[in-house]
Amino acid sequence: MLKRRTFMAAATACMLLSPLAQAEYKSEYTVSTVLPSAFPWGQAADKWVELVKERSEGRINMKIYSSAQLVSGDQTKEFSAMRSGLIDMAVGSTINWSPQVPELNLFSLPFLMPDHAAIDAITQGEAGKAVFKAVEKRGVTPLAWGENGFRQLSNSKQKVDEPADLAGMKVRVVGSPLFQDTFTALGANPTQMSWADAKPALTTGAVDGQENPLSVFDVARIDQVGQKHLTRWGYMADPLVFAVSTRVWRQFSPEDQQLLKQAAIDAGQWEIKKSRAELDETLAKIKERGVEVTDLTPEQHAAFVEATQSVYEKWTPRIGEDLVKQAQDAIANRK
Ligand code: X2X
């Protein structure tokens, strides 16, 4: 009996001590990104790290590992690595995490979001909350949204303003299955590869085209690898998610969880505003470099929408009928 009581007392003492044990933080937390500081994406991560350091007075230190180097460049493995705790934190793209979180494919549905207000209508509303719940369910704690941006199509062959122009065109896409379906539906010949392999493949001509936001096209100097034609079709936009591995998240005190979250929200808002504000200037720069930029007429746009309907049929059940409907309603009622 006495023994049992001693044991109970010891167990209680341990439980009381556990908040102290929680306070023992790692000397440094890893933060994974795909794009480094020269891009808005990398700047979003930089800002988060800086705000956390400042607000925690140096108690919480984070170190950024860009180019998906923590997963040897294989960006679609980033989420799993975070879930298992191999990576502590990340600022990641919805595209790269969608193989593990099917709900994130919502943002990749072609021509779902016509403008920035539509992105915000999803991320800042109920649909955004539902997406975050889906991320959380899979062992990663999402904190805030950022933005990689509307993705535009470039190629080395010809002007593209109708689906027929894409016939047989070899297009590099991210390693997320929905993209394979979108480009196949358009008659193109999509090839999945990581960002690390994309520029070399464009350089050698292994692929004819790619799709990425204007900021990525500009900073990575995609014009220098023969990409002379760019179509501003804005067929999808990938938000960024600031997140922490839930295993790691639980080690922080509630106050520090709040600090990390608020810093992520502030960094995200700062980056979204900045990257949108830079778009016009970026476009001008790209044109100055001699890239032929094509905008679609409403009729041309409609032809692309029409050609990609099969993607909705296949992917809506996987994403969730309710979530897609919720997002569509939010977009219809956007400000
Ligand atoms: O690989 C890409 O195209 C990039 C950099 O935009 C993403 O990581 C989604």
Side-chain angles (χ1 to χ4, degrees), residues 34-35 41 75 93 95-96 148 151 172 174 195 211-213 238:
V34 176
L35 298 177
W41 184 338
Q75 62 211 53
S93 157
I95 303 174
N96 295 332
N148 194 23
R151 300 178 74 91
R172 175 268 168 174
V174 190
W195 173 244
E211 49 76 56
N212 249 300
D238 51 330

Side-chain angles (χ1 to χ4, degrees), residues 152-162 165-172 183 188 202 205 207-212 217 222-233 290-294 304:
Q152 318 296 5
L153 178 71
S154 75
N155 82 91
S156 59
K157 298 282 182 199
Q158 64 173 96
K159 173 177 173 153
V160 171
D161 62 13
E162 56 175 348
D165 297 330
L166 284 170
M169 192 181 279
K170 287 178 279 172
V171 182
R172 175 268 168 174
F183 284 85
L202 293 165
V207 291
D208 308 314
Q210 65 87 45
E211 49 76 56
N212 249 300
F217 187 92
I222 299 299
D223 62 300
Q224 289 182 331
V225 290
Q227 299 288 290
K228 293 290 171 218
H229 312 277
L230 192 141
T231 302
R232 287 211 305 159
W233 64 344
V291 175
E292 177 199 44
V293 177
T294 303
F304 281 102

Side-chain angles (χ1 to χ4, degrees), residues 249-276:
W249 182 246
R250 290 200 190 111
Q251 295 164 9
F252 288 107
S253 69
E255 294 75 25
D256 284 336
Q257 288 179 345
Q258 186 49 36
L259 186 156
L260 280 158
K261 183 171 180 163
Q262 192 57 50
I265 292 171
D266 295 345
Q269 283 174 352
W270 171 85
E271 184 262 343
I272 291 171
K273 200 167 160 211
K274 180 171 185 280
S275 64
R276 290 181 188 177

Side-chain angles (χ1 to χ4, degrees), residues 7 61 81 90 106-107 143 151 187 208 216 242 244 247 250 252 279 321 325:
F7 171 77
N61 293 296
L106 173 69
F107 299 98
L143 306 181
R151 300 178 74 91
D208 308 314
V216 180
F242 293 70
V244 180
R247 291 168 186 240
R250 290 200 190 111
F252 288 107
L279 273 173
E321 307 272 352
K325 174 86 172 54

Side-chain angles (χ1 to χ4, degrees), residues 110-148:
F111 306 102
L112 172 70
M113 302 177 289
D115 49 31
H116 289 129
I119 306 177
D120 297 342
I122 298 180
T123 57
Q124 304 310 312
E126 291 306 311
K129 282 192 195 135
V131 171
F132 268 12
K133 272 212 186 94
V135 172
E136 209 167 338
K137 220 172 70 190
R138 292 175 181 87
V140 167
T141 303
L143 306 181
W145 299 97
E147 191 155 288
N148 194 23

